[in-house]
Amino acid sequence: RTQQNSEGGAHPRRRRPPRRNSHRRMDPHDGEPAADELPPPPPLPPNVVPIIAEDAAAASESEPPPPPPPSKPAKPRRHIMARPPNGLGKKGQPIQLLANHYKVSVKPSEEFFNHYYVNLKYEDDTPVDSKGIGRKVLDKLQHTYHSELADKDFAYDGEKSLFTIGALPQINNEFIVVLEDIGSGKTAAGSPGGNNGSPGGGDQKRVRRPYQAKTFKVELNFAATIPMAAIGHAIRGQESEHSLEALRVLDIILRQHSAKQGCLLVRQSFFHNNPSSFVDLGGGVMGCRGFHSSFRGTQSGLSLNIDVSTTMIVKPGPVIDFLLANQKVDHPDKIDWQKAKRALKNLRIKTTPANSEFKIVGLSERNCNEQMFPLRRRNGDTTETVEITVYDYFVKNRGIELRYSGNLPCINAGRPKRPTYFPVELCTLVPLQRYTKALSTMQRTSLVEKSRQKPHERMSTLNDALKRSNYDADPMLKACGIQIAQNFTQIEGRVLPAPKLKAGNGEEFFARNGRWNIARKKLIRTSSVKRWSVVNFSARCDLRGLVQDLKRVATGMGLEYEDPHTVIEESPSLRRAPVARRVEEMFAQIKAKLPGAPLFLLCLLPERKNCEVYGPWKKKCLADFGIVTQCLAPQRVNDQYLSNLLLKINAKLGGLNTLLQIEAARAIPIVGKVPTIILGMDVSHGQPGQSDRPSIAAVVSSREWPLISKYRATVHTQSPKQEMMASLFKPRGTEDDGLIRESLIDFYTSSGKRKPDQVIIFSRDGVSESQFTQVINIELEQIIEACKCLDDKWEPKFTVIVAQKNHHTRFFQTNSPENVPPGTVVDKQVCHPKNFDFYMCAHAGMIGTSRPTHYHVLHDEIGFSGDELQEFVHSLSYVCTRGARQRYQ
């Protein structure tokens, strides 16, 4: 046998020589040693008699083999609990509400969704990796081969999955699709660069081609069938692989419907190119208002949940305008082009005058009037290649006037080895491109202020979104027998009464409209403010008057407030210095002017929002030195402002502002009778563009039982973007170094050496419904192990609740334009058809539209009824250190 070498010649294929000292059994047929031959026996030492093999075998058969080592029995897998018979609440004042769920009717069907795997390849069989082109290819395929597809409509997810109702004529289907003018970023006719640097990659005859054509191979391979009857199973809460997949197919149909309308798709949120939906956030970034749309199984059947959604997009228009806004400069000569390269990468542009679309891959190394490329041009019957600058090519060869691009880098929209250059002023950013980098504090604030809507405005927006979507005309939804109601779902809620609160001197009071004012009331447990100082980072105010007013208000609230040891002013020469230097210089003054480490620092900042000193200062004080701080920006200071400030200071120094009346009387149902610890768990991740930063896992835990108003916090770091908590239980030999151990020990020492017999766990918003089983099978198991590590015989009861804010259900009053009243709870009609869940708006929504919290009870050994759990959660909402506000959007 021979093997072709790299030069096109041939050489004999070499046989690998046998390994040294290898022993192989000889095969009698070809004389070659067999691969499984045993090595020869070693020589026998003197005075050793060998054992006959048969005797050894008989001896081994007469003795039973040793038993295998014992293995731990597999722990039973926990499942999400169903709603118990007493899981629906009854307490509270009834209230009629509207929910942004539209009822959906589904005709019974014996048909099946057929799932096909989509394999897209170029003509040379290389896989297609460009995002977004799949929909264009599949649309063209359906138009070209409708008869071969038996005139079937399909739902395509834009990637690898395609669904039809009923089977295609063949199991495996292969098609050739030709797309014209695909705008793939390949070299355009008349563009510098490309094939050997010539315009369009060939001679100038190609300039007259009206479009680019690209050939694709499409394979549709059968994968599975999903009975459409599974939609009914999902409505009844009979969740299975088929029922979840059937709802997924319906959501894919919604995505495809919006994609055909030209929308930007962000999971199940859709954004139209409508300038009236854009808000400028500064920095070349815009907020784009769209809508979320998804099918959900509820107690009242299938519903379509539609809600307002907002994403960030790059401001469309000339590239140079985006760069000036993004870098906050007023002239192109001031642009930092390294930053510009990072900001522009992968954005899509249209170029003039050809109006072709490309994707930016980078910038040229030289300016437009210096960047050379080889241009091939025809000279009679011959072709010659000349070196020319990009600037000269466009000005002299194309006759295009360039006003300011000559001294600026070019946009590279080609490939790494085949660049395609365009002058900056000929490039325009296309609309609806997501901005995925981190927003500044000012941009986030602007987004919240400009995107919030009052309840009646939101209702109008949602009804308009449904009409504009025109789902009734979608052929796939029609084929599924789906009809969508045009009105919000009317539901019944209940309003729970606010719990009574207790302040100092035995005074009791009720919150009004979800809020309460502590002014002219004593705090229930006050701290002493001693060994403290004031530091001022160049804030302009009457410092002496501020300190006197703070002490006066504090005395009225019952706090012991000494005079500050000193007031430390920042040097005027440091106001424009780097932040790190300003913080270090301030700490140097603290060490020089104070006799020892302070217990508390009051810090005055020059700006209320977006102050660059805040983060580094907090880290220096808390993380590095453990000094309690309170920051304020003294623009508008009055007694109410100072009262709110003192509530935070008192809590930070170990005080307690108010209590629930039933908490002080040990009358909280279930929790007040048996030692109970309440855990809150959350994971925070780095901002977009900070994927290398570790995630922070935190646990807060109640202490001093029977109180539920006192908490401590523990934090650990874990792998970036990891949502499941990995450090609840961290065994190190016989010890545990996890988060839960610290919380349990603190509860024991602060609660009269009592171990909790009940553990109530509130998990976080970042957990999706698909991860619920992981919470009760992985995280709960870690917590149980942490308890066992402290006492192997200790078996507390556990209740696990997930509190979700990142959902799209909203409630509206039927006879009022205002938000729903505080204490509103809903556990019927729009909740899960089987699981134990409810929605609650505990406080008044003062701005925008109230966002209820969606509570999912995953596991409950304590045995809460619906009323008991809802009243308990409602009461917990009133133990906030500084009053409470309803989260809004």
Side-chain angles (χ1 to χ4, degrees):
R1 290 179 292 180
T2 61
Q3 181 176 351
Q4 189 80 14
N5 65 18
S6 59
E7 288 77 28
H11 61 80
R13 186 174 181 179
R14 296 179 181 176
R15 187 185 306 279
R16 179 178 294 176
R19 296 179 181 176
R20 294 185 62 189
N21 300 327
S22 63
H23 303 277
R24 295 200 270 179
R25 185 177 69 247
M26 298 296 292
D27 191 310
H29 296 287
D30 61 4
E32 290 283 340
D36 58 348
E37 176 165 359
L38 297 174
L44 287 174
N47 303 322
V48 173
V49 179
I51 299 174
I52 301 174
E54 289 78 2
D55 294 343
S60 64
E61 289 175 3
S62 62
E63 297 177 5
S71 59
K72 293 183 179 180
K75 294 181 180 179
R77 184 173 176 82
R78 300 181 183 92
H79 298 282
I80 299 172
M81 69 173 294
R83 189 186 303 275
N86 59 352
L88 293 176
K90 298 179 181 178
K91 294 184 178 180
Q93 184 71 29
I95 182 173
Q96 294 300 313
L97 302 171
L98 296 173
N100 59 337
H101 287 236
Y102 297 85
K103 289 186 177 181
V104 177
S105 61
V106 185
K107 292 181 181 179
S109 175
E110 299 298 324
E111 291 277 2
F112 288 81
F113 289 120
N114 280 58
H115 180 193
Y116 292 88
Y117 176 80
V118 180
N119 186 17
L120 283 180
K121 296 183 290 186
Y122 290 111
E123 195 173 10
D124 59 0
D125 286 336
T126 58
V128 174
D129 55 2
S130 300
K131 291 185 177 180
I133 201 170
R135 292 192 185 276
K136 296 179 181 179
V137 174
L138 268 293
D139 285 346
K140 183 64 180 292
L141 182 148
Q142 187 177 26
H143 177 75
T144 307
Y145 297 99
H146 58 89
S147 58
E148 288 86 345
L149 297 172
D151 291 323
K152 286 188 177 294
D153 293 302
F154 53 69
Y156 175 51
D157 71 349
E159 296 181 4
K160 296 293 185 182
S161 291
L162 180 143
F163 299 88
T164 62
I165 298 177
L168 294 176
Q170 302 178 41
I171 293 178
N172 296 322
N173 301 268
E174 296 185 7
F175 304 94
I176 300 296
V177 176
V178 179
L179 280 189
E180 297 84 15
D181 194 21
I182 60 172
S184 63
K186 310 295 182 186
T187 305
S191 303
N195 215 353
N196 298 325
S198 63
D203 59 41
Q204 297 217 2
K205 287 183 178 180
R206 295 190 62 182
V207 174
R208 292 192 293 271
R209 288 192 63 181
Y211 55 77
Q212 305 174 78
K214 198 72 179 176
T215 301
F216 298 88
K217 295 180 180 179
V218 184
E219 296 178 3
L220 304 180
N221 299 319
F222 174 77
T225 58
I226 305 162
M228 293 178 67
I231 299 173
H233 300 161
I235 296 171
R236 294 188 292 272
Q238 300 169 355
E239 290 188 354
S240 65
E241 181 181 353
H242 281 160
S243 63
L244 297 177
E245 195 71 7
L247 289 184
R248 175 174 167 254
V249 174
L250 297 183
D251 284 342
I252 288 172
I253 295 173
L254 297 182
R255 285 174 55 83
Q256 176 175 271
H257 182 83
S258 294
K260 290 183 176 181
Q261 293 181 337
C263 292
L264 167 66
L265 309 183
V266 184
R267 293 180 292 277
Q268 286 300 128
S269 294
F270 315 126
F271 303 90
H272 288 270
N273 184 19
N274 183 0
S276 65
S277 300
F278 301 160
V279 291
D280 197 337
L281 306 179
V285 183
M286 305 186 79
C288 178
R289 179 179 294 162
F291 66 97
H292 166 93
S293 181
S294 65
F295 288 101
R296 296 188 65 85
T298 67
Q299 293 144 313
S300 57
L302 189 65
S303 71
L304 179 66
N305 179 206
I306 296 184
D307 189 30
V308 173
S309 185
T310 304
T311 192
M312 282 72 69
I313 61 172
V314 174
K315 188 174 182 178
V319 168
I320 198 69
D321 290 352
F322 167 75
L323 293 176
L324 293 173
N326 186 252
Q327 298 190 17
K328 298 180 176 61
V329 295
D330 56 5
H331 194 275
D333 291 343
K334 299 179 182 179
I335 292 175
D336 182 334
W337 289 100
Q338 285 302 316
K339 288 183 180 179
K341 184 177 180 180
R342 293 192 296 269
L344 292 175
K345 189 172 183 180
N346 294 328
L347 293 180
R348 301 190 314 279
I349 56 170
K350 277 195 173 182
T351 61
T352 55
N355 202 34
S356 298
E357 187 172 318
F358 299 88
K359 184 171 75 172
I360 299 175
V361 298
L363 300 174
S364 61
E365 295 180 359
R366 297 183 175 139
N367 289 341
C368 184
N369 55 12
E370 299 172 345
Q371 182 65 51
M372 308 290 292
F373 74 97
L375 174 67
R376 285 195 309 177
R377 59 187 179 189
R378 192 177 292 262
N379 186 7
D381 294 334
T382 62
T383 300
E384 61 180 5
T385 300
V386 297
E387 291 286 327
I388 188 172
T389 65
V390 176
Y391 181 87
D392 287 342
Y393 170 77
F394 278 95
V395 172
K396 296 178 180 179
N397 288 39
R398 303 289 300 277
I400 299 172
E401 180 185 2
L402 299 179
R403 293 177 293 110
Y404 58 82
S405 295
N407 295 320
L408 304 179
C410 302
I411 299 294
N412 181 5
R415 298 178 182 177
K417 294 183 180 180
R418 295 174 58 185
T420 301
Y421 298 124
F422 295 97
V424 173
E425 65 186 276
L426 301 185
C427 302
T428 302
L429 292 169
V430 302
L432 295 182
Q433 299 191 74
R434 285 190 73 196
Y435 183 82
T436 57
K437 299 176 177 61
L439 295 180
S440 67
T441 303
M442 293 299 290
Q443 286 175 324
R444 287 197 301 269
T445 302
S446 177
L447 179 65
V448 171
E449 291 176 349
K450 293 179 179 180
S451 63
R452 62 193 178 204
Q453 291 179 300
K454 294 181 179 179
H456 65 278
E457 296 173 340
R458 198 183 196 95
M459 291 177 68
S460 177
T461 299
L462 297 181
N463 283 321
D464 289 344
L466 180 63
K467 292 176 183 176
R468 186 170 60 248
S469 297
N470 193 23
Y471 288 133
D472 290 339
D474 188 274
M476 279 293 286
L477 290 178
K478 280 183 178 180
C480 293
I482 283 180
Q483 289 186 323
I484 302 170
Q486 298 300 304
N487 300 312
F488 281 13
T489 299
Q490 188 160 347
I491 62 174
E492 183 179 294
R494 291 170 289 114
V495 181
L496 302 179
K500 185 181 288 188
L501 299 174
K502 187 172 183 178
N505 295 338
E507 183 180 359
E508 296 180 352
F509 61 98
F510 282 101
R512 293 185 176 181
N513 196 29
R515 291 173 285 177
W516 59 96
N517 194 337
I518 204 70
R520 295 182 294 278
K521 291 181 174 66
K522 300 286 185 181
L523 304 184
I524 201 160
R525 187 192 297 176
T526 57
S527 58
S528 298
V529 185
K530 301 177 180 178
R531 286 173 52 193
W532 71 288
S533 295
V534 180
V535 296
N536 182 16
F537 281 98
S538 303
R540 297 179 180 178
C541 69
D542 177 9
L543 270 178
R544 183 181 297 275
L546 175 65
V547 171
Q548 291 301 318
D549 288 341
L550 189 66
K551 185 175 181 180
R552 171 178 55 78
V553 176
T555 302
M557 298 171 70
L559 279 79
E560 296 180 24
Y561 232 89
E562 294 182 352
D563 290 328
H565 183 274
T566 187
V567 174
I568 303 173
E569 295 273 6
E570 182 181 45
S571 171
S573 63
L574 293 173
R575 290 178 182 176
R576 298 187 181 277
V579 176
R581 185 184 169 198
R582 295 176 68 185
V583 171
E584 290 297 332
E585 290 288 343
M586 184 62 76
F587 252 86
Q589 288 197 65
I590 291 172
K591 291 178 180 179
K593 295 183 178 181
L594 299 183
L599 298 179
F600 172 67
L601 289 174
L602 184 69
C603 175
L604 277 65
L605 301 178
E607 299 103 11
R608 186 179 178 188
K609 297 178 181 178
N610 204 30
C611 182
E612 60 181 4
V613 174
Y614 180 84
W617 174 252
K618 281 285 187 179
K619 181 181 182 299
K620 188 78 172 179
C621 293
L622 291 172
D624 297 347
F625 290 93
I627 300 173
V628 176
T629 63
Q630 178 59 55
C631 296
L632 74 153
Q635 274 91 5
R636 295 190 300 268
V637 176
N638 52 32
D639 284 5
Q640 183 65 59
Y641 180 90
L642 295 176
S643 295
N644 289 337
L645 199 72
L646 286 164
L647 291 176
K648 298 179 72 173
I649 293 172
N650 186 53
K652 290 178 180 182
L653 295 176
L656 191 58
N657 297 334
T658 59
L659 286 177
L660 298 172
Q661 188 272 335
I662 55 174
E663 179 183 9
R666 295 195 175 193
I668 302 177
I670 299 180
V671 175
K673 299 174 182 177
V674 178
T676 303
I677 185 172
I678 304 167
L679 302 176
M681 308 192 309
D682 199 5
V683 179
S684 61
H685 308 289
Q687 294 181 349
Q690 301 175 344
S691 58
D692 58 334
R693 293 199 177 186
S695 295
I696 307 297
V699 173
V700 294
S701 55
S702 61
R703 59 197 312 270
E704 297 183 30
W705 181 84
L707 299 184
I708 62 172
S709 296
K710 289 285 288 183
Y711 286 84
R712 74 184 303 276
T714 312
V715 297
H716 278 192
T717 59
Q718 61 185 41
S719 301
K721 304 300 180 183
Q722 179 180 338
E723 183 57 44
M724 304 310 294
M725 302 186 74
S727 53
L728 298 174
F729 175 62
K730 293 180 68 176
R732 294 180 182 271
T734 58
E735 294 296 320
D736 171 21
D737 193 28
L739 290 166
I740 297 299
R741 175 187 172 89
E742 298 179 43
S743 299
L744 295 174
I745 292 176
D746 178 77
F747 181 92
Y748 180 78
T749 55
S750 66
S751 304
K753 295 189 176 180
R754 295 184 182 93
K755 289 181 290 189
D757 294 324
Q758 298 177 154
V759 181
I760 301 175
I761 304 161
F762 285 91
S763 195
R764 64 262 178 222
D765 185 46
V767 176
S768 64
E769 293 183 20
S770 62
Q771 295 174 309
F772 284 174
T773 55
Q774 296 182 49
V775 172
I776 55 178
N777 284 289
I778 298 176
E779 294 184 346
L780 175 57
E781 192 60 36
Q782 289 186 57
I783 297 172
I784 293 173
E785 291 293 331
C787 294
K788 293 289 185 185
C789 188
L790 289 172
D791 184 351
D792 190 49
K793 298 180 180 179
W794 179 25
E795 295 184 349
K797 295 180 179 179
F798 293 90
T799 292
V800 182
I801 304 167
V802 171
Q804 283 189 329
K805 299 288 279 190
N806 191 22
H807 62 84
H808 291 278
T809 295
R810 301 290 182 271
F811 301 125
F812 308 90
Q813 296 195 63
T814 58
N815 54 2
S816 171
E818 302 299 322
N819 273 308
V820 296
T824 297
V825 61
V826 173
D827 58 7
K828 297 177 182 178
Q829 295 167 285
V830 293
C831 292
H832 195 279
K834 179 183 174 184
N835 296 348
F836 191 7
D837 68 329
F838 61 92
Y839 294 90
M840 181 179 290
C841 287
H843 300 291
M846 296 175 286
I847 305 173
T849 302
S850 294
R851 184 202 299 254
T853 304
H854 191 185
Y855 294 95
H856 303 261
V857 186
L858 307 185
H859 184 79
D860 183 24
E861 297 173 1
I862 297 174
F864 282 98
S865 69
D867 278 324
E868 288 169 339
L869 185 58
Q870 291 164 15
E871 286 190 313
F872 172 63
V873 170
H874 188 223
S875 297
L876 275 178
S877 302
Y878 283 77
V879 300
C880 180
T881 298
R882 227 203 79 198
R885 292 183 180 178
Q886 174 69 12
R887 185 177 175 182
Y888 58 85
Q889 180 181 358

